[in-house]
Amino acid sequence: EISTEHGEIVLNWKISEGLTAGSVFIPYSLWINQVIGIDTKCTGTPQFKGVKATLKSAEGKKILTLTELVLKLRRES
């Protein structure tokens, strides 16, 4: 599970030797939108780099499918 001040989401992950220690790479998707802010600083695109996050085990928690995530977001709005 990855959480930031903006939200949290459960994702699969794996260690990559190509990343700097303490860094996480998540491809742009609806899932990443759950943990980044909405401020674009007038660029039209949110800031993806430098977002402080906490990673923890999500054992027993389900990774939402795209349909489940959209339905969850609709219920919350």
Side-chain angles (χ1 to χ4, degrees), residues 19-59:
L19 291 177
T20 305
S23 295
V24 175
F25 171 78
I26 303 172
Y28 183 71
S29 65
L30 189 57
W31 290 269
I32 190 62
N33 285 346
Q34 307 314 300
V35 294
I36 60 169
I38 59 172
D39 186 11
T40 67
K41 300 191 183 344
C42 298
T43 65
T45 302
Q47 181 63 274
F48 294 100
K49 293 182 179 183
V51 177
K52 293 182 188 243
T54 302
L55 302 175
K56 64 181 179 180
S57 173
E59 191 170 334

Side-chain angles (χ1 to χ4, degrees), residues 3 13 16 32-33 62:
S3 60
W13 63 274
S16 172
I32 190 62
N33 285 346
K62 183 179 186 225

